[in-house]
């Protein structure tokens, strides 16, 4: 089967979060089990782009509103990623430093989607499946089915994977002229709540929708940023498939980002060595438990609760722990977290920014990973943490609920709480500090979580099952 994944991110070329990780791993595992999976992404100016060889494999042009846009398709030449990676270059529009965050993101990703459809339409042999990811690619199925120039593509079955339904690609109706000549009586497919909603349109037009965990799919029926009714109505075509983790990238025995590599057998020594390096570098105390947070500093991740929860924990639990934060996002939260560096020196450190290497070292050196998320479609961090023997402290939501079992339950291996509140976080930190005093139990849990099977093989098989049904 030939499967074309279309996405805004793909690790290691361009990653802002879990979307990049998944699109960089799933196609690799699909290829491993005998299929042909390829990935198409916009061309940004990332380090990977400059450090690798690419060749031109396609060119074309299309009108978008009053503009004519030319595109070039380049392909990574060595197949070092385990799948063919194609980048769509549209001068001045896509070739920017960052993936998102520009005022014209709507124009950028609409143009990207038109270019992809235009290019695939030129292929002699059409692929078996078009698999689009999140709202930045969710208008593609609509274009394949309802734009006069691309109707040839309407026979290809389509899948939309929702990694995050909070962001939906809203677009004013006055931008509907961006779309290539389309059947105007189909406007209802585009609209949700008086505006064009790319994600809603994708859900309506595709053959199957998947979410990145079964728990998240259930949640979408009552918490989907306005699309709850749609998910209830379309539930027959929706399936939740838990993400896997890329064992070639996330393996403490081979990870070249971390100072000391280790496996289950020598995890106590390996983690202690990695913790020491982190603590020495960042002014923390290696004898106390080390609790980390890695992620986008946004409301979804409940990052706004961190400053108060950390301050309360340090005061009320007598500073019996260290905190280390890595992330970027809301400037106000960034500021608050940075201010705390001076106030809680010795107990706390925050690193504002994106740092892949430090993230790996933190998973390896920490004792606990905190994820108080208000919304968590799957959450990869807790799975990476477990693979590295770091015990997760998570709010019971979405994929966190699907992957972590509380130590109070039989065979439990994590700390779970119900509410995204300062009180619940502080209480869970207290439980972690108590657990940390029981070295034998911590060691047993570590060995257990490092061996949980979060591999992609299982999930990749489930995706293929879905393709076969359509
Ligand atoms: P989301 O996609 O919602 O941001 P996920 O848990 O699905 O959250 O994936 C987050 C991914 O991004 C993980 O690989 C995590 O390690 C990484 N990540 C997030 N923030 C940072 C950061 N500041 N520096 C390095 N890696 C980060």
């Amino acid at each position: 089967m030939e499967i074309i994944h279309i996405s805004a991110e793909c690790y290691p070329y361009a990653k802002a979060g879990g979307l990049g990780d998944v699109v960089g791993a799933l196609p690799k595992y699909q290829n491993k089990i005998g299929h042909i999976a390829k990935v198409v992404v916009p061309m940004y100016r990332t380090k990977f782009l400059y450090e690798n060889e690419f060749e031109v494999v396609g060119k074309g042009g299309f009108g978008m509103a009053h503009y004519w846009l030319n595109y070039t398709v380049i392909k990574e030449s060595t197949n070092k990623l385990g799948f063919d990676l194609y980048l769509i270059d549209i001068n001045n529009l896509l070739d920017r430093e960052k993936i998102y965050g520009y005022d014209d993101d709507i124009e950028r990703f609409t143009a990207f989607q038109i270019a992809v459809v235009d290019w695939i339409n030129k292929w002699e042999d059409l692929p078996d499946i078009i698999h689009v990811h999140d709202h930045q690619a969710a208008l593609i199925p609509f274009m394949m089915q309802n734009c006069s120039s691309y109707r040839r593509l309407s026979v290809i079955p389509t899948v939309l994977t929702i990694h995050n339904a909070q962001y939906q690609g809203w677009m004013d109706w006055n931008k509907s002229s961006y779309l290539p000549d389309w059947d105007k009586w189909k406007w209802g497919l585009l609209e949700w709540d008086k505006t064009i909603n790319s994600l809603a349109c994708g859900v309506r037009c595709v053959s199957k929708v998947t979410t990145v965990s079964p728990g998240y799919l259930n949640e979408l029926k009552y918490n989907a940023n306005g699309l709850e009714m749609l998910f209830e109505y379309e539930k027959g075509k929706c399936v939740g498939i838990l993400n896997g983790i890329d064992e070639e990238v996330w393996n403490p025995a081979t990870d070249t980002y971390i100072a000391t590599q280790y496996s289950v057998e020598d995890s106590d020594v390996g983690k202690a060595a990695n913790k020491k390096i982190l603590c020495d570098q960042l002014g923390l105390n290696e004898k106390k438990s080390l609790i980390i947070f890695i992620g986008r500093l946004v409301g979804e991740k409940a990052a706004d609760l961190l400053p108060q929860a950390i301050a309360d924990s340090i005061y009320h639990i007598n500073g019996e722990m260290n905190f280390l934060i890595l992330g970027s996002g809301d400037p106000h939260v960034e500021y608050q977290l940075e201010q705390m560096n001076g106030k809680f020196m010795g107990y706390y450190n925050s690193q504002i920014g994106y740092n892949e290497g430090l993230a790996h070292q933190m998973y390896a050196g920490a004792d606990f990973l905190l994820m108080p998320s208000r919304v968590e479609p799957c959450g990869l961090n807790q799975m990476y943490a477990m693979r590295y023997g770091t015990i997760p402290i998570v709010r019971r939501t979405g994929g966190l609920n699907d992957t972590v079992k509380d130590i109070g339950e039989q065979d439990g291996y994590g700390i779970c709480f119900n509410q995204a509140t300062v009180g619940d976080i502080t209480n869970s930190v207290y439980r972690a500090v108590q657990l940390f005093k029981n070295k034998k139990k911590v060691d047993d849990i570590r060995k257990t979580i490092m061996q949980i099977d979060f591999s992609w093989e299982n999930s990749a098989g489930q995706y293929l099952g879905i393709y076969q049904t359509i």
Side-chain angles (χ1 to χ4, degrees), residues 371-426:
M371 289 183 82
S373 309
R374 293 191 175 92
V375 182
E376 197 58 80
C378 175
L380 291 166
N381 297 19
Q382 81 282 11
M383 294 197 261
Y384 297 148
M386 288 191 264
R387 186 76 189 85
Y388 284 66
T390 296
I391 301 172
I393 307 174
V394 304
R395 183 177 162 241
R396 286 195 176 93
T397 183
L400 297 176
N401 205 18
D402 289 349
T403 51
V404 182
K405 201 169 171 190
D406 190 86
I407 45 170
E409 294 168 49
Q410 201 181 357
D411 302 326
Y413 45 80
I415 294 177
C416 302
F417 56 98
N418 291 327
Q419 306 295 333
T421 58
V422 168
D424 265 26
I425 298 173
T426 314

Side-chain angles (χ1 to χ4, degrees), residues 329-404:
D330 180 345
H332 179 63
V333 177
E334 287 185 358
Y335 176 78
Q336 279 182 301
L337 290 171
E338 274 194 313
Q339 289 301 305
M340 290 164 58
N341 278 338
K343 192 166 171 197
F344 295 115
M345 199 185 285
Y347 299 96
Y348 166 89
N349 192 301
S350 64
Q351 299 288 310
I352 302 302
Y354 189 93
N355 187 334
E356 190 75 28
L358 178 60
H360 284 242
Q361 183 64 35
M362 285 170 66
Y363 290 121
D367 299 300
F368 298 95
L369 170 94
L370 174 62
M371 289 183 82
S373 309
R374 293 191 175 92
V375 182
E376 197 58 80
C378 175
L380 291 166
N381 297 19
Q382 81 282 11
M383 294 197 261
Y384 297 148
M386 288 191 264
R387 186 76 189 85
Y388 284 66
T390 296
I391 301 172
I393 307 174
V394 304
R395 183 177 162 241
R396 286 195 176 93
T397 183
L400 297 176
N401 205 18
D402 289 349
T403 51
V404 182

Side-chain angles (χ1 to χ4, degrees), residues 49 121 142 202-203 263 336 344 347 452 460:
L49 175 74
N121 192 43
F142 176 86
V203 170
S263 44
Q336 279 182 301
F344 295 115
Y347 299 96
I452 298 178

Side-chain angles (χ1 to χ4, degrees), residues 95-228:
D95 58 334
R96 311 248 178 103
E97 305 290 333
K98 289 189 298 178
I99 303 174
Y100 318 107
Y102 299 98
D103 290 342
D104 59 351
D105 276 356
I106 282 292
E107 284 75 9
R108 297 173 68 227
F109 289 106
T110 308
F112 163 65
Q113 295 177 81
I114 301 172
V116 175
V117 175
D118 191 82
W119 175 52
I120 294 177
N121 192 43
K122 293 179 184 178
W123 296 8
E124 209 167 294
D125 295 321
L126 295 179
D128 298 300
I129 297 284
I130 295 282
H131 190 150
V132 299
H133 296 264
D134 272 355
H135 76 81
Q136 296 89 356
L139 287 174
I140 286 178
F142 176 86
M143 293 186 205
M144 291 164 57
Q145 292 152 16
N146 302 296
C147 292
S148 52
S149 318
Y150 305 126
R151 235 182 283 277
R152 173 177 172 243
L153 303 180
S154 63
V155 295
I156 309 174
T158 49
V159 175
L160 163 66
T161 293
I162 299 180
H163 301 254
N164 194 334
Q166 292 300 109
Y167 308 98
Q168 299 170 3
W170 303 275
M171 201 164 144
D172 263 8
W173 267 111
N174 63 17
K175 294 189 173 170
S176 62
S177 60
Y178 290 177
L179 301 175
D181 182 44
W182 53 282
D183 302 335
K184 295 297 180 295
W185 65 92
K186 296 287 184 63
W187 66 271
L189 290 171
L190 292 166
E191 179 167 282
W192 189 268
D193 202 13
K194 301 191 183 67
T195 183
I196 296 178
N197 185 312
S198 308
L199 194 72
C201 175
V203 170
R204 287 175 173 134
C205 293
V206 289
S207 323
K208 279 278 181 197
V209 175
T210 71
T211 61
V212 288
S213 71
Y216 186 53
L217 178 57
N218 282 334
E219 271 181 34
L220 286 178
K221 289 177 201 141
Y222 53 89
N223 181 11
N225 203 8
L227 299 184
E228 298 77 9

Side-chain angles (χ1 to χ4, degrees), residues 42-58:
M43 195 199 86
Y44 317 107
R45 288 189 213 138
T46 68
K47 198 161 162 260
F48 186 94
L49 175 74
Y50 293 114
E51 290 177 354
N52 290 278
E53 298 285 310
F54 287 84
E55 59 191 293
V56 175
V57 293

